[in-house]
Amino acid sequence: MATKLPKVPIVIVGMGWVGGIIASELTKAGHSVVGLERGKSRSTQDYFHVHDELRYASRYELMQDLSKETVTFRNTSKLRALPMRSYGSFLLGDGLGGAGVHWNGQYYRFLPYDFEIRSKTIERYGAKKIPEGMAIRDWGIKYDELEPYFVKYEQMAGIGGEPTTQANVGAMSKAFPVGPMKKTPAMKLFEDSAKKLGYHPYVIPSANLTEVYKNPDGIERAPCQYCGYCERFGCEYGAKADPVVTVLPVAQKSGKLDLRTHANVTEVLHDGKKATGVRYVNTPTGEEYIQPADIVILSGYLFSNVRLLLLSKLGKPYDPNTDTGAVGRNYAYQVNGASTNVVFEDREFNMAMGAGALGSSLDDFNGDNFDHSDLKFLHGANIRFTQTGLRPIQYQPAPMGTPKWGAEFKKQTLHYANRTLTVAAQGSSMPWRHHYLDLDPEYKDALGLPLIRLTFDFEDQDRELVKYIAGKTKEIADGMGGTKTEIHDSIKQYNIVPYQSTHNTGGAIMGSDPKTSVVNNYLQMWDAENVFVCGASAFAHNSGFNPTATVGALAYRTAEGIAKYLAKPGSLV
Amino acid sequence: MANKNESSQQPRDESRRQFLKYSGTAIGGVVVGGVIGGLIGANANTDKKDEAAQPDTGKPAKPADRDYNQALMFFNQDQFMTAEAASERIYPKDDSGPGAKELGVAFFIDHQMASAYGMNAREYMSPPFYKSEATQGYQLSFKRRELVALGLDSLNVYSMDKYQKGFPDLAPEEQDKVLGDFEQDAVNIKGVPASTFFAYFLNLTIEGVYADPLYGGNKNMDGWRMRNYPGNQMSFTEQIDKDDFVKMEPLSLSDHLEIG
């Protein structure tokens, strides 16, 4: 029997970037908020011994315990989905701060093209350019409408970048609050080669703080030390912006945030029209609680958000056979795999040094910044050289054809450890009618509830993109002055085993049509006006960029929408 | 750092510091006792620096000089010796420095198999178990430690069958052939997923070479030294934009206890 708690105005499910931003904004405005986080509490003090590659990178210290909950996966709906038993392709965050703790800190606003991808594509190439089954849609919002909210995130996090708007990206109304990361010799080689080719490289905007910075909330943080331990690690300096060192302290200091950790939400309660609250399990005791609320905000990772909607029978589940319903639609990912290595026989680089967001990149072949008339794919990729700190267990660079073990393996991997630079592409991922999320019919979590099921594969669009973009990475790598380059220009089936990217998107997408989207452009649910479903689950496709900037901007806009809703309930659009 | 105040208030324990400094470097000639005694002795580190740390190798080492971490938590003696021989072929000693054996990789693997990782503790191990597509990953109830132990036993079974000797007694070229047969799934031992075992073992060996010495491998940080990896440094702010390659003496997490 669940214990029913007194009703509260606002309950947030998941206290990562999105939950933290919304809690911070609402509590600053004087609203009381309950924050439910299924994992444990976290602070920078936890990272005293964080420079441990085995524990954090290979054994996934910060990630969700898969023995309790995972996802199931299959390449097509004809196959039986099987559980992701151990980590591989992507890593699920857990605990206070969520995936916002273990990110690299690379910060890119999505392109104006992204938000209007369908109409812009038809406008330039005609409707026939969009292949059968590709489900790209406009997002129901334009870049200019979202622009002020990018600024808010940048000021809060202390994003460092070059002072002016770069070529090929959306205009910035306000410069980044701090300057760019330091430029390494290898970054210079990349930029010089790209410039000679007529491209427009720039230093990657960074959430690894570049100087001491006090944000508008009065939070002061120290700069990045380039220690080389960002992705999969927490920052012991608090230099990498994460929710625990930025927005959550503001919410906590307000006295208006009731933060409950180890609170695993299993259902959004509703009467068919509106949510009435949530049901959660306090995992240390197994006790069940009902938390009634006027507003419910889902701010977990996309798998959690979508799963919770489906478990709660809230919204219409997507049916790929009839192309109806909305919850689970438009799952997309990130198409990596295009890259070129350049090796230097006569020069070593300090590859162990670095930071998650240290590097340079260009967008000349991202979005629709280049002519796709004769190409068999849409969108493109951000092409980059990053220097994130190459740790020895996970990085064994060697020329193609080197044996995977033995004397030659040792010799080559030691020789090339600090002599290999990689020009890589982070490719966009388009949604397809047959890529989606639903509940698994067989596998359950530790509480006996169905796991989320992922049906996804790479398409010809992705293979064509990789092939073309890889050619561009080679052009740049060839001009970097190395001894030799090696191109990687093909991808096959999507395989959940090797790590690729933790940029999963979609499933509860935003849009202007209630039939094909779950939320409007305030991330307010069409089918339940007091439910907000936030985060990358709202992305209608994934761009050739890291998602956090756009996740953050949308969260700031949602916070504003919720404040409006509190004053005047109803649809915000 | 969280423990800064706490640690600075504590008096330095000199003997502990010495222990940390020399741990893992001075076990030559030590008979630990029991069935693995001779075996541990066989694994004595021959590094010159170690002799300086313990000049009198004929006598039992002083307790403070011994690496009590070098003992077995999971493997039997045959499995340990096979793991040591096999990991050495995967990462052999050469002109650039020690191989897996001297780096303590077999101890690392043994310890990992005794840990939560060996028991797949944080992985989804609930039924049902179905045959999978290659893109869906490992789908068996058989745990990592079970697979690694079975695989090591099978290396010996296969070696006996092919060469009439146990794996550790084979010539290096023969060992390579056996490992290659496992890697390629060409061994045909009933009920043994040879290539899956090999992939796990290969991965464990690399981890043992390069993980922080805290875990029993990468002895003296020599795995890091060979590839000029500086280990656990607190800051590269001064070096990150320099043109020249900066060589640094590596630091470990144990050093970090003193740095604070």
Side-chain angles (χ1 to χ4, degrees), chain A residues 44-55 58-70 73-75 79-87 94 182-185 188 224-229 236-237 347-355 358 387 390-397 404-411 413-414 417-418 442-446 451 493-497, chain B residues 1-4 7 86 89-99 108 112 115 117 120-140 144 175-177 179-180 183 198 200 202-204 206-208 210-212 214-215 223-224 226-248 253-254 256-257 259-260:
Chain A
T44 48
Q45 289 155 349
D46 295 335
Y47 310 129
F48 176 54
H49 263 192
V50 80
H51 292 176
D52 184 339
E53 186 184 11
L54 187 76
R55 176 179 172 191
S58 303
R59 302 286 181 264
Y60 312 111
E61 175 72 28
L62 296 178
M63 311 308 166
Q64 176 180 310
D65 182 342
L66 295 182
S67 73
K68 295 178 182 172
E69 188 190 327
T70 184
F73 161 70
R74 56 186 179 172
N75 286 107
L79 298 169
R80 186 203 303 272
L82 295 176
M84 178 175 81
R85 295 194 180 274
S86 42
Y87 277 114
D94 189 39
K182 294 190 181 200
K183 211 179 271 191
T184 68
K188 285 179 196 157
C224 172
Q225 299 297 306
Y226 300 89
C227 76
Y229 288 82
E236 73 268 46
Y237 295 104
R347 185 170 179 188
E348 285 189 88
F349 297 86
N350 294 304
M351 298 310 287
M353 307 175 186
L358 183 62
Q387 196 165 338
L390 295 190
R391 297 170 293 269
I393 295 172
Q394 300 208 292
Y395 298 97
Q396 309 287 329
K404 296 231 170 345
W405 55 278
E408 190 63 14
F409 163 81
K410 181 182 178 187
K411 189 179 162 199
T413 52
L414 291 182
N418 298 304
E442 190 155 21
Y443 289 98
K444 308 275 195 288
D445 72 2
L451 298 178
Q493 254 190 321
Y494 173 64
N495 183 336
I496 203 163
V497 179
Chain B
M1 292 301 93
N3 293 0
K4 197 167 188 173
S7 60
R89 293 315 302 156
I90 287 170
Y91 199 91
K93 179 174 180 150
D94 64 7
D95 295 345
S96 56
F108 168 87
Q112 286 295 304
S115 77
Y117 180 66
N120 303 54
R122 297 182 75 237
E123 294 169 18
Y124 190 81
M125 297 300 280
S126 305
F129 295 92
Y130 294 108
K131 192 170 165 21
S132 66
E133 304 290 319
T135 58
Q136 293 174 305
Y138 189 77
Q139 291 292 337
L140 297 168
R144 202 171 272 114
Q175 290 176 332
D176 287 353
K177 177 77 172 72
L179 291 171
E183 183 182 26
F198 184 84
Y200 276 131
L202 171 59
N203 192 43
L204 281 161
I206 299 302
E207 288 176 349
Y210 292 124
D212 191 279
L214 149 73
Y215 296 98
W224 288 345
M226 281 186 279
R227 62 180 264 171
N228 287 320
Y229 184 73
N232 162 47
Q233 305 281 340
M234 292 313 292
S235 175
F236 294 123
T237 301
E238 298 305 316
Q239 295 87 10
I240 188 70
D241 52 358
K242 296 287 181 290
D243 275 330
D244 294 329
F245 185 72
V246 183
K247 269 194 187 182
M248 297 176 108
L253 287 168
S254 178
H256 195 147
L257 279 177
I259 294 166

Side-chain angles (χ1 to χ4, degrees), chain A residues 50-341:
Chain A
V50 80
H51 292 176
D52 184 339
E53 186 184 11
L54 187 76
R55 176 179 172 191
Y56 287 90
S58 303
R59 302 286 181 264
Y60 312 111
E61 175 72 28
L62 296 178
M63 311 308 166
Q64 176 180 310
D65 182 342
L66 295 182
S67 73
K68 295 178 182 172
E69 188 190 327
T70 184
V71 306
T72 69
F73 161 70
R74 56 186 179 172
N75 286 107
T76 76
S77 57
K78 291 192 182 76
L79 298 169
R80 186 203 303 272
L82 295 176
M84 178 175 81
R85 295 194 180 274
S86 42
Y87 277 114
S89 179
F90 46 83
L91 306 174
L92 306 170
D94 189 39
L96 199 62
V101 171
H102 68 80
W103 71 316
N104 259 333
Q106 297 172 11
Y107 178 90
Y108 293 100
R109 298 172 170 201
F110 277 14
L111 300 167
Y113 166 74
D114 282 311
F115 301 100
E116 300 170 80
I117 186 168
R118 187 177 177 84
S119 28
K120 294 271 185 202
T121 300
I122 291 172
E123 189 182 307
R124 186 167 175 185
Y125 306 105
K128 282 186 181 158
K129 185 71 181 171
I130 302 170
E132 172 66 26
M134 186 190 275
I136 51 170
R137 336 183 161 273
D138 295 353
W139 289 33
I141 194 167
K142 290 183 181 175
Y143 174 85
D144 289 345
E145 292 171 81
L146 199 54
E147 204 281 336
Y149 305 95
F150 283 116
V151 174
K152 282 192 177 208
Y153 184 92
E154 288 153 17
Q155 298 293 318
M156 174 274 295
I159 302 298
E162 297 193 10
T164 54
T165 301
Q166 297 303 302
N168 299 313
V169 301
M172 291 172 61
S173 65
K174 191 167 182 177
F176 289 123
V178 290
M181 298 288 276
K182 294 190 181 200
K183 211 179 271 191
T184 68
M187 285 162 69
K188 285 179 196 157
L189 292 177
F190 170 84
E191 291 200 4
D192 290 347
S193 175
K195 278 180 196 158
K196 268 188 206 146
L197 291 163
Y199 305 148
H200 303 84
Y202 58 95
V203 177
I204 296 175
S206 167
N208 314 142
L209 207 51
T210 58
E211 58 191 75
V212 176
Y213 175 67
K214 190 174 193 173
N215 78 8
D217 294 319
I219 300 281
E220 191 168 19
R221 291 162 38 231
C224 172
Q225 299 297 306
Y226 300 89
C227 76
Y229 288 82
C230 270
E231 187 173 29
R232 305 190 185 196
F233 305 86
C235 181
E236 73 268 46
Y237 295 104
K240 174 170 73 178
D242 85 26
V244 180
V245 298
T246 53
V247 285
L248 285 168
V250 175
Q252 281 166 315
K253 201 179 161 196
S254 75
K256 297 276 185 186
L257 172 66
D258 175 359
L259 177 64
R260 303 177 197 160
T261 49
H262 301 296
N264 188 8
V265 175
T266 56
E267 189 181 358
V268 179
L269 302 163
H270 61 93
D271 60 13
K273 286 180 184 154
K274 284 166 80 170
T276 56
V278 298
R279 180 193 300 275
Y280 71 91
V281 178
N282 174 52
T283 52
T285 62
E287 285 169 291
E288 211 174 38
Y289 293 93
I290 286 171
Q291 177 60 69
D294 292 324
I295 295 176
V296 174
I297 298 158
L298 301 188
S299 53
Y301 202 59
L302 81 162
F303 296 118
S304 301
N305 282 357
V306 175
R307 179 168 177 257
L308 210 40
L309 290 176
L310 293 170
L311 288 174
S312 310
K313 297 187 177 14
L314 190 57
K316 293 176 196 70
Y318 172 58
D319 179 351
N321 297 313
T322 57
D323 198 18
T324 56
V327 181
R329 246 183 215 280
N330 283 40
Y331 173 82
Y333 191 40
Q334 198 87 72
V335 179
N336 296 337
S339 68
T340 302
N341 285 345

Side-chain angles (χ1 to χ4, degrees), chain A residues 529-547:
Chain A
E529 64 173 44
N530 66 341
V531 177
F532 293 79
V533 189
C534 315
S537 57
F539 290 12
H541 70 273
N542 197 14
S543 186
F545 283 129
N546 307 61

Side-chain angles (χ1 to χ4, degrees), chain B residues 186-208:
Chain B
V187 296
N188 208 5
I189 303 179
K190 200 166 186 283
V192 178
S195 64
T196 309
F197 156 72
F198 184 84
Y200 276 131
F201 191 82
L202 171 59
N203 192 43
L204 281 161
T205 300
I206 299 302
E207 288 176 349

